[in-house]
Amino acid sequence: MGYTIAVAGKGGTGKTTLTGLLIDYLVKNGEKPILAVDADANANLNEVLGEEVEVTIGEIREEVSKRENTGNNFPGGMTKAQYLKYRLNAGMIEGRGYDLLVMGRSEGQGCYCYVNGMLREQIDSLADSYKYLVIDNEAGMEHLSRKTTKYIDTLLLVSDASRRGIQAVARINQLVKELELNVANIYLIVNRVPNGQLKEDTIEEIEKQGLNLLGVVPMDQQIYEYDAQGMPTVTLPEDSISKRALNNIFSKIQFKK
Ligand SMILES: Nc1ncnc2c1ncn2[C@@H]1O[C@H](COP(=O)(O)OP(=O)(O)OP(=O)(O)O)[C@@H](O)[C@H]1O
Ligand SMILES: [Mg+2]
């Protein structure tokens, strides 16, 4: 299994933006190939990266279940497992230095346990051939508590500078301990910080919560403008304040098992 990085935090704090910029950072530093997984039902990592989604894992799962339930055979005499693998490979979005898998939502009400298990196995085995596995999670702790990933090398907690934001990531930090998840390192990144300067009180709260602050990313007007114009965040200039801050932050992480 490649080096696994998961990003988590409260809604709207910048998880997806930072995940995209992390992928961009790793690729630019020759740290590839990367398997990027968008594990948010409301997928949008592709937009930050500037990629089009053709099919989601949820849709593949739906299609496979439907074929099975209607007695529709899998094409070319393939078994169900073979067909899933084939669809998974075809559904992979190929970027520069990375591949992107979009989980999407699960439609319908059927029982997907079997297909889910099969999918998980195949994604795990796929992940083996990448140097990095980078997962963008949805807000909350669903994915962590479901143990989607058996082992996380680095968990990046993303918060805004608000007290409640810090307390929310502190709860995730706590949950990781309670669930005894296999997470080697947990770091905090505070994003969208006005003037890039944390208040004394916020720093105290971070310390009180026992969070390991890796760095802060300033509020960046350019991110907002790119977003408004529908331009991929990763195409921000290298000297933009957010990219400079993140390059510095990411360089502090030892991406070693
Ligand atoms: N440093 C920043 N400066 C300015 N705007 C930012 C910054 N970081 C993120 N944003 C903007 O904040 C919004 C939310 O960011 P993003 O979608 O990355 O958050 P998220 O945590 O993934 O949200 P969700 O919980 O919905 O998945 C986006 O419009 C993004 O462009
Ligand atoms: Mg997101």
Side-chain angles (χ1 to χ4, degrees):
M1 186 70 113
Y3 190 98
T4 302
I5 307 163
V7 182
K10 200 159 73 76
T13 48
K15 297 178 294 296
T16 303
T17 304
L18 268 47
T19 305
L21 291 170
L22 170 65
I23 292 165
D24 183 61
Y25 169 89
L26 289 171
V27 170
K28 284 185 177 136
N29 283 280
E31 299 293 339
K32 51 191 183 177
I34 301 163
L35 177 61
V37 176
D38 187 343
D40 188 346
N42 186 11
N44 56 14
L45 177 60
N46 65 295
E47 284 167 18
V48 170
L49 294 168
E51 305 286 352
E52 291 282 339
V53 178
E54 273 167 29
V55 67
T56 68
I57 302 300
E59 288 161 358
I60 294 174
R61 175 173 45 208
E62 187 70 18
E63 186 214 317
V64 170
S65 290
K66 214 171 254 165
R67 275 181 186 275
E68 199 171 40
N69 294 339
T70 54
N72 219 338
N73 284 333
F74 299 108
M78 278 188 255
T79 63
K80 183 171 164 184
Q82 283 167 335
Y83 185 68
L84 258 181
K85 192 169 194 173
Y86 155 76
R87 291 289 281 134
L88 211 55
N89 277 311
M92 192 86 93
I93 301 160
E94 285 173 35
R96 264 194 204 157
Y98 64 86
D99 289 332
L100 171 63
L101 265 186
V102 178
M103 301 307 283
R105 63 185 81 242
S106 49
E107 322 273 334
Q109 300 172 327
C111 173
Y112 298 105
C113 315
Y114 183 67
V115 189
N116 273 340
M118 214 176 235
L119 266 171
R120 197 160 306 153
E121 244 169 55
Q122 295 197 349
I123 292 173
D124 279 355
S125 89
L126 257 176
D128 281 341
S129 47
Y130 293 84
K131 194 164 177 191
Y132 288 89
L133 172 63
V134 180
I135 308 161
D136 179 22
N137 288 293
E138 56 193 7
M141 312 175 236
E142 283 287 287
H143 280 272
L144 293 178
S145 55
R146 257 187 257 142
K147 295 202 182 186
T148 314
T149 359
K150 281 185 231 122
Y151 186 88
I152 298 172
D153 291 292
T154 288
L155 175 64
L156 294 178
L157 299 177
V158 181
S159 174
D160 54 23
S162 73
R163 180 172 286 267
R164 265 173 291 166
I166 302 294
Q167 287 165 350
V169 289
R171 277 195 294 275
I172 300 180
N173 192 34
Q174 198 53 42
L175 183 82
V176 169
K177 289 190 185 129
E178 280 164 21
L179 291 174
E180 297 177 355
L181 298 182
N182 263 322
V183 183
N185 310 294
I186 306 180
Y187 301 113
L188 168 66
I189 299 176
V190 185
N191 186 31
R192 244 197 272 130
V193 178
N195 304 317
Q197 204 66 44
L198 283 181
K199 296 230 182 294
E200 252 338 291
D201 289 336
T202 315
I203 297 172
E204 267 172 33
E205 185 65 26
I206 292 170
E207 282 168 3
K208 189 181 122 199
Q209 299 285 355
L211 294 162
N212 188 357
L213 177 66
L214 202 56
V216 304
V217 182
M219 172 80 158
D220 185 349
Q221 181 71 17
Q222 261 187 317
I223 292 190
Y224 173 68
E225 279 158 17
Y226 271 53
D227 184 79
Q229 293 170 39
M231 275 153 58
T233 319
V234 293
T235 60
L236 277 171
E238 289 306 307
D239 65 355
S240 66
I241 55 170
S242 50
K243 265 201 178 175
R244 269 189 295 158
L246 280 167
N247 285 345
N248 181 36
I249 288 172
F250 295 145
S251 71
K252 293 184 202 166
I253 304 175
Q254 279 233 321
F255 294 107
K256 286 215 172 65
K257 289 209 174 248

